[in-house]
Amino acid sequence: MIAFLKQNSFRLLIAAPCVGFGIGILVLFIARNTQPTVQGSPWKTFLNIGSDGESVLQKAIRAGVGIYALPKEEVVYFMANTDEEGNRLEAGHRYRISGNAPFTRIWSITLYDDDHRLSANPLERYHINGSMMNTEQGQPYSFIISSKEENDYWLPAPEKGNIVLCYRIYLPPASTFPIQASQLPRIQKL
Amino acid sequence: MNIRLIIAVFLGVTSCWATFSMYPYFIQLAIEWKSGKEKNVLFHLKAPNPDTPDTPNPDFLYSALFYDLSKGDLLLTGDVPEQLDYFSIAFYGANSFHYALVKARDIKEKTYTIRLTNGNTPTQSSGELHVQSPSTSGTVIVRYMRRNAEDHAYIQRIQQRSMLKQLP
């Protein structure tokens, strides 16, 4: 092996940057779906957006999955593409989203399709937020995600395909950190 | 160890690292190209609707700007929307990384004047905020939180009054 490398070292010199570039792209591709998960929940997040502790690789991944994000003092973002059992969120199923409203005036849960686009619907309802739920801080809330009309509070999903949820807490108070699973909404398949 | 092997490993690792570093620049360029927007023109994104639900976040109405400071500084002016729950102006460099944020609570007046610069600027005049860009190009995103139809109409009026001026 070493002898082969020595014999072909000039070719290796030419190939090395290409291999390095290829590995870089591969790592970014794989890392896109490996954001850190809040333990005990399906929610993934980047908590060090814009901080000095953010590595070059983390910044590159963020540019791909959440470009133009705001720092965590302004908004904390959580993404979920599975329910609490670990199964992929699918548009054909019904889900109950429930939790306690965070201790901030502004929060929302938005539904996206697999390409991270809003799901077109005639109600023009793309998210559920604190004022729509009319819930006081720390009080429980609950709503349904479904592709068919519901009697309860509900968020329309597309007819088919996978879905992704984004939970945003704006201007989070210091007590929000460290984030624990109990602070995050439950995602139960019905 | 053959010196060429050592150099090859070094080149490989450096290229991998360079890929991570350059990727955000590539994404930024791709977004600019895909948007079809001219540089140094402030534009307003439409609210999501059944035909074009592509607004990134329905909590906000957005104004945005892809800037180029090679010909001089830019002056961004507008009204501070006092009745909204959230308003901010975020600045991102050529690599799409956030470097400055002006929040409603940072502005004492009812209007704001922000001078975006990449070099030495004259003494800051009264009431004018200076934002120093780390690169000659980048993006500015103005976020207006929209909670109901009343907010929507109010924001659209505010957006129409915001202005961008190229300084010599």
Side-chain angles (χ1 to χ4, degrees):
Chain A
M1 180 67 175
I2 296 293
F4 172 80
L5 291 175
K6 280 183 178 175
Q7 283 168 13
N8 294 281
S9 58
F10 186 72
R11 288 179 187 161
L12 201 63
L13 212 57
I14 304 297
C18 301
V19 173
F21 174 75
I23 291 172
I25 293 291
L26 190 66
V27 168
L28 284 173
F29 183 76
I30 294 168
R32 274 178 69 107
N33 294 314
T34 55
Q35 290 164 264
T37 302
V38 178
Q39 201 171 14
S41 86
W43 296 97
K44 298 172 181 179
T45 188
F46 287 112
L47 279 179
N48 51 356
I49 287 174
S51 71
D52 294 337
E54 200 175 21
S55 70
V56 173
L57 177 58
Q58 283 177 318
K59 286 178 177 174
I61 296 165
R62 180 161 55 78
V65 298
I67 195 168
Y68 304 141
L70 287 167
K72 72 174 183 182
E73 294 74 23
E74 297 297 299
V75 193
V76 192
Y77 304 86
F78 302 92
M79 305 291 290
N81 59 8
T82 64
D83 63 18
E84 58 189 23
E85 302 292 328
N87 299 313
R88 195 76 171 81
L89 295 176
E90 292 176 19
H93 298 295
R94 294 169 70 234
Y95 297 94
R96 177 172 294 281
I97 312 299
S98 59
N100 292 329
F103 286 90
T104 177
R105 285 180 59 210
I106 329 163
W107 59 274
S108 69
I109 298 176
T110 307
L111 187 148
Y112 295 92
D113 67 17
D114 219 13
D115 296 324
H116 290 254
R117 290 169 54 94
L118 296 173
S119 168
N121 67 81
L123 287 180
E124 299 190 30
R125 189 183 297 160
Y126 307 98
H127 63 166
I128 294 283
N129 62 31
S131 59
M132 290 159 85
M133 296 302 297
N134 203 16
T135 307
E136 296 290 316
Q137 295 178 14
Q139 294 302 304
Y141 66 86
S142 167
F143 66 91
I144 304 282
I145 290 177
S146 172
S147 51
K148 295 189 172 55
E149 189 169 344
E150 298 277 340
N151 292 326
D152 206 348
Y153 281 111
W154 73 293
L155 187 56
E159 292 290 332
K160 54 186 178 181
N162 292 326
I163 56 175
V164 178
L165 298 178
C166 182
Y167 177 43
R168 294 178 173 94
I169 303 175
Y170 296 94
L171 304 175
S175 60
T176 307
F177 307 101
I179 299 286
Q180 292 172 336
S182 58
Q183 295 169 262
L184 301 174
R186 296 186 64 186
I187 308 174
Q188 297 166 285
K189 187 175 170 184
L190 298 175
Chain B
M1 192 69 167
N2 188 324
I3 189 70
R4 284 181 179 169
L5 279 179
I6 296 170
I7 295 172
V9 170
F10 174 77
L11 285 176
V13 171
T14 308
S15 303
C16 186
W17 192 254
T19 306
F20 297 153
S21 302
M22 297 309 293
Y23 183 69
Y25 290 90
F26 169 76
I27 296 286
Q28 167 75 18
L29 287 173
I31 287 178
E32 283 186 38
W33 177 77
K34 202 175 161 187
S35 76
K37 302 292 182 188
E38 280 181 53
K39 294 263 193 183
N40 297 349
V41 175
L42 187 66
F43 59 93
H44 312 296
L45 266 66
K46 284 183 182 169
N49 61 67
D51 298 324
T52 54
D54 4 353
T55 301
N57 176 358
D59 294 335
F60 293 125
L61 283 184
Y62 294 92
S63 296
L65 152 75
F66 296 117
Y67 65 79
D68 176 6
L69 300 173
S70 59
K71 290 179 185 148
D73 296 352
L74 293 172
L75 202 65
L76 182 64
T77 57
D79 294 351
V80 178
E82 292 172 311
Q83 73 179 57
L84 301 183
D85 283 336
Y86 185 89
F87 164 75
S88 71
I89 307 172
F91 298 83
Y92 302 85
N95 53 8
S96 82
F97 298 162
H98 160 259
Y99 65 85
L101 185 71
V102 175
K103 297 163 273 191
R105 51 194 187 275
D106 297 334
I107 307 168
K108 306 279 185 292
E109 312 293 328
K110 290 186 175 180
T111 60
Y112 62 85
T113 303
I114 297 172
R115 185 176 187 135
L116 182 57
T117 180
N118 181 230
N120 296 325
T121 54
T123 313
Q124 193 161 339
S125 56
S126 172
E128 188 178 278
L129 290 167
H130 280 194
V131 173
Q132 184 83 29
S133 171
S135 50
T136 53
S137 63
T139 308
V140 179
I141 297 182
V142 188
R143 291 174 167 90
Y144 304 88
M145 180 153 283
R146 173 185 66 125
R147 301 182 86 182
N148 50 44
E150 190 186 331
D151 281 351
H152 192 118
Y154 172 68
I155 293 167
Q156 285 185 319
R157 287 197 301 276
I158 295 267
Q159 282 180 314
Q160 294 311 316
R161 286 204 288 268
S162 56
M163 287 174 65
L164 184 73
K165 188 178 168 189
Q166 172 87 58
L167 297 175

